[in-house]
Amino acid sequence: MNLMTAVEIAASGLSAQRKRLEVLVSNLVNANTTHAAGQEPYRRKDVLFVSSAPEQTFGSALDDAMLSVRGVQVAGVVTDESEPLRRYEPGHPHADKDGYVLYPNINPMEEMVNMLSAARSYEANLQAVTTAKDMTQKTLEIIR
Amino acid sequence: MKIGFPDDATLAAVESYLGRLTRRQQVIASNTANIDTPGYKTEEIPFHATMNELLSERTQQLRVSRPQHRGGASGAAGPNGPPVFEVENLPSRPDGNNVNLEQELLKLGQTSFAYTSIIQLLRVKFRTIASSINEGRIG
Amino acid sequence: MKDNLIGQINPNLQVPEIRSPQRSPKGADGTGFGQMLQDAISAVNEVQKQSDVEVQKLMAGESQDLHETLIAVQKADLSFQMMMQVRNKILQAYSEIMRMPV
């Protein structure tokens, strides 16, 4: 049973990284969205990760609660409050009276790098799952 | 006349060590899952253990085998299991997280290999005992 | 020599006496073959019960580790095999003694 706890922990990591990836993709796709909803440009979003406590989330085995093993949760999606970028484009349909257009404060390169990091973390969690599975299968060989 | 099982101390220590490796794997999984959690600090269970440590961990585990009602804070590194330490001298990133992904993956491989090796040795041991019982049997 | 073999395993059962003056080797002090067999059987019973408890814990989700359950099961299995051999040897010794003249 205890090896399964590691799988649950890693699964929480997979889920969290996937949500993070979704948000990053959304940022990338909307890097140039000048009117997201109404008249405001799209604002960059990010996920907030927190450790999840074992009593709430995992297993029933006694000493798992004694160890400080923790998974991870997305506590929420936070919106970037920084100022949008102003670019001078008088011919743009969304230009204001001075000819400026408000663009999301998003750097596509940065979002790409973050996406790679999320993918790498995802892979690492997957490795933890695979390893736990292998160890469990090997355990069964005791009685073979 | 009692049927004593040969090598009971070694077997108990092996059971305890397999448990330790399992918990070590859990902690590594925790570290990995929390690689991007702000402020999270890397934890670890020591890979090596003396016979005394293993045997005393085991007797404690056997003593506390009643199911416990969940709820209420439980401390880390309890009297019921191998000790969990925070790893020192790790550099932190700007968000306060100090988990090193490569290190954790290395530890994952190390723990898994040790575990499967010990299971294998355990199998050989049991096979040997079975042979010694069944060789020269009567019918 | 057609003794009831089942009766030989349970020392409390009266073994039908074929050779008249000979008593069963279960002596007055109770430390004969019967007692040895009894001890062996109850020792193995303990191990089997322990193994069953471990499996029950596994099913109820109370088991800490799969390897603990499996090691207990394996030990029970080997103990049982050992008991079978001990039983065989005891029976063999018993029947050899019963064969002895006098």
Side-chain angles (χ1 to χ4, degrees):
Chain A
M1 290 297 161
N2 251 298
L3 283 171
M4 287 303 118
T5 307
V7 171
E8 288 172 11
I9 295 171
S12 77
L14 290 175
S15 173
Q17 292 297 341
R18 208 170 54 80
K19 291 201 183 81
R20 179 179 171 215
L21 203 64
E22 282 173 17
V23 168
L24 292 172
V25 166
S26 170
N27 290 342
L28 198 61
V29 159
N30 285 293
N32 291 313
T33 302
T34 48
H35 277 187
Q39 305 297 313
E40 291 287 311
Y42 177 89
R43 282 187 179 279
R44 185 179 183 274
K45 295 188 181 25
D46 203 354
V47 286
L48 189 59
F49 282 174
V50 295
S51 299
S52 53
E55 296 93 4
Q56 293 156 11
T57 326
F58 303 118
S60 58
L62 171 65
D63 68 350
D64 285 345
M66 290 299 194
L67 274 187
S68 57
V69 286
R70 297 170 266 165
V72 66
Q73 276 174 349
V74 173
V77 178
V78 293
T79 309
D80 188 359
E81 292 301 325
S82 62
E83 284 299 312
L85 302 175
R86 299 178 80 223
R87 295 200 197 132
Y88 186 66
E89 291 177 16
H92 197 279
H94 296 160
D96 62 9
K97 56 177 169 25
D98 301 323
Y100 282 97
V101 185
L102 292 178
Y103 277 90
N105 192 356
I106 292 178
N107 179 353
M109 288 313 299
E110 195 181 309
E111 301 306 306
M112 292 281 297
V113 167
N114 287 333
M115 281 167 67
L116 284 176
S117 163
R120 212 172 61 118
S121 302
Y122 189 91
E123 288 293 329
N125 280 300
L126 208 53
Q127 185 63 36
V129 171
T130 308
T131 305
K133 188 188 65 124
D134 291 344
M135 284 164 78
T136 306
Q137 278 182 338
K138 189 67 184 178
T139 310
L140 288 173
E141 291 187 11
I142 290 179
I143 53 173
R144 190 142 66 85
Chain B
M1 175 182 62
K2 187 166 173 1
I3 306 254
F5 212 82
D7 265 342
D8 244 346
T10 308
L11 241 143
V14 164
E15 263 191 67
S16 176
Y17 192 59
L18 289 175
R20 171 181 280 243
L21 289 178
T22 303
R23 277 146 199 76
R24 186 164 201 261
Q25 220 255 348
Q26 277 172 16
V27 172
I28 295 171
S30 276
N31 293 337
T32 307
N34 282 286
I35 177 79
D36 294 307
T37 305
Y40 182 94
K41 301 298 177 199
T42 310
E43 292 174 346
E44 171 162 90
I45 293 181
F47 182 63
H48 298 289
T50 65
M51 278 288 282
N52 283 341
E53 286 169 352
L54 292 177
L55 290 175
S56 75
E57 273 166 31
R58 179 171 165 72
T59 44
Q60 281 162 352
Q61 251 182 346
L62 290 177
R63 204 184 304 141
V64 192
S65 55
R66 63 190 185 281
Q68 191 180 49
H69 183 61
R70 256 185 300 146
S74 0
N80 294 326
V84 186
F85 298 109
E86 244 185 56
V87 182
E88 315 210 337
N89 300 327
L90 284 180
S92 294
R93 286 181 288 279
D95 64 352
N97 187 304
N98 67 359
V99 178
N100 181 333
L101 203 58
E102 282 76 22
Q103 275 295 329
E104 296 310 302
L105 287 175
L106 273 177
K107 290 196 285 191
L108 198 64
Q110 172 201 44
T111 308
S112 162
F113 182 68
Y115 188 91
T116 54
S117 304
I118 288 175
I119 298 277
Q120 193 60 30
L121 294 173
L122 202 57
R123 292 182 67 199
V124 171
K125 187 162 200 68
F126 280 137
R127 246 198 327 254
T128 306
I129 293 174
S131 291
S132 73
I133 291 174
N134 290 315
E135 287 306 304
R137 64 164 172 231
I138 299 180
Chain C
M1 190 171 44
K2 287 313 293 175
D3 284 337
N4 182 358
L5 284 176
I6 306 295
Q8 284 180 345
I9 299 176
N10 183 348
N12 294 322
L13 211 58
Q14 275 295 19
V15 177
E17 295 199 351
I18 306 219
R19 297 169 196 58
S20 35
Q22 216 164 17
R23 285 185 56 88
S24 151
K26 179 169 86 86
D29 54 354
T31 55
F33 290 106
Q35 192 57 44
M36 281 168 68
L37 206 51
Q38 194 80 325
D39 288 347
I41 291 175
S42 58
V44 169
N45 258 352
E46 271 312 304
V47 180
Q48 298 285 14
K49 263 192 299 194
Q50 185 57 35
S51 163
D52 287 346
V53 164
E54 287 294 320
V55 172
Q56 282 167 23
K57 276 166 61 177
L58 185 68
M59 294 192 290
E62 287 170 21
S63 170
Q64 301 282 31
D65 292 296
L66 183 62
H67 64 82
E68 276 182 20
T69 308
L70 295 181
I71 288 178
V73 165
Q74 183 75 318
K75 281 167 82 167
D77 182 45
L78 287 175
S79 296
F80 187 78
Q81 287 182 44
M82 183 134 59
M83 188 272 278
M84 288 306 287
Q85 293 310 310
V86 169
R87 166 194 166 276
N88 290 344
K89 293 222 156 53
I90 287 178
L91 285 181
Q92 186 189 38
Y94 179 83
S95 59
E96 274 186 28
I97 287 181
M98 291 304 272
R99 258 198 300 262
M100 289 197 312
V102 177

